[in-house]
Amino acid sequence: VDSSEEKWQTDSDLPYRREFIRLIAQLLTERKHNPSQKWLLELPYKARKLEEQLYRTAPSFEYYIDRSTLKQRLKKVATAITFRFRDAKRKSLTRRSSSITG
């Protein structure tokens, strides 16, 4: 087995993951001016989803907890999620319109 394919994630990472979820929520809140009540209610879910992606895609624990690259990695993950969402929405609309016209 190639060492790059080995999973480094363990249950003992949970305290760090919780801390990162709080940190991500804080960073998102700092970027949002006058957040709506709906946005604030969705914040914990968004922070968890972003953290989950960071955790699953990090090649090592040291990389995962590197706060010096956190904002950059968050932007990358958020952009990827946005593109996947838009692509899925576009495909759904395309299927719907072709079923209506077809």
Side-chain angles (χ1 to χ4, degrees):
V1 175
D2 182 4
S3 64
S4 65
E5 294 177 13
E6 291 180 19
K7 292 292 182 192
W8 55 266
Q9 292 93 341
T10 68
D11 290 342
S12 63
D13 300 336
L14 200 53
Y16 298 97
R17 295 189 68 190
R18 286 188 184 121
E19 179 185 344
F20 259 61
I21 291 169
R22 282 191 295 273
L23 180 58
I24 290 167
Q26 178 184 343
L27 290 170
L28 292 174
T29 303
E30 288 171 2
R31 291 180 49 93
K32 187 76 170 177
H33 301 289
N34 300 320
S36 68
Q37 190 63 31
K38 181 182 180 222
W39 189 90
L40 290 170
L41 288 171
E42 293 172 349
L43 178 61
Y45 172 79
K46 290 176 182 180
R48 279 194 305 273
K49 284 306 217 181
L50 289 167
E51 184 279 335
E52 183 181 319
Q53 282 294 99
L54 290 175
Y55 185 73
R56 286 193 302 129
T57 59
S60 68
F61 181 72
E62 291 74 20
Y63 183 85
Y64 168 74
I65 63 168
D66 184 357
R67 290 180 184 220
S68 70
T69 62
L70 179 60
K71 286 182 182 181
Q72 175 188 347
R73 290 182 288 135
L74 275 173
K75 283 182 185 178
K76 188 175 179 181
V77 167
T79 300
I81 290 170
T82 300
F83 280 124
R84 279 198 306 266
F85 175 77
R86 286 182 184 161
D87 189 46
K89 192 173 184 179
R90 186 173 58 249
K91 286 179 182 175
S92 173
L93 291 174
T94 302
R95 262 187 257 118
R96 194 176 308 147
S97 66
S98 65
S99 67
I100 293 170
T101 60

